[in-house]
Amino acid sequence: MFDVVSSSKWPTGFLINPNAEPLDPKWLTEFSKIPAAAVSDCLGRNVGGLGLKPFHGTRPMLGSALTVRVRPGDNLMILKAMQMARPGDVLVIDGSADLTRAVFGGIMRAMALKAGIVGVVINGALRDLDEWQTGELPAYAIGGVHRGPSTDGGGEINVPISCAGMLVMPGDLMIGDGDGVVAASRSELPELLKRCHDLLAREQATLAAIEAGTLDPDRFDAILRAKGCPV
């Protein structure tokens, strides 16, 4: 094989960037009232993680993304990222959807809780599943497996990653609940919040119309007729 030569001070396959600026706490307060599905709708219904399952129960997750990309089945850079984490961070890990080895388990869960980490999202596998069911630390992953990781590297911290089909930038707002996980860029939070409030208001109006029996009975026929259907 050809040798791959690094052109920076970091060896090839390793990189650690500084943490992103903390999110303004007001966004955590505001988005704590908004379901992940509503955020997904307001971002166009084509974003968010696919295949991520909640292993902790139903507790919602909300925090700032601390991103990690690792070699499949290895957790060295995840351990380093936990040393860098601030209270309120969500570890978002791109493990290439590898399910042959768990890159996060019970000991790391205890470390994460001690560091004030508020969630873990893994494009890969975790283990010690019984411990996660206490619900203290939200954890989303593609799957679980008993086989443990290597701790050799490489990997990168605080870089743009793809996690279960979801683009995540360092410092993104991470929203998770029983429906799954969505990432939102901090630059779009003001407009996104307005759209979410509008959507939830419309949903409440629709539910009220259903309850009152006043929902327009022709609304779906009108859509079909616009497509040329003879209804």
Side-chain angles (χ1 to χ4, degrees), residues 33-49:
K33 310 164 191 173
I34 298 175
V39 175
S40 177
D41 282 357
C42 292
L43 289 174
R45 300 185 176 182
N46 291 316
V47 299

Side-chain angles (χ1 to χ4, degrees), residues 8 33 54 139 156:
S8 72
K33 310 164 191 173
E156 299 166 305

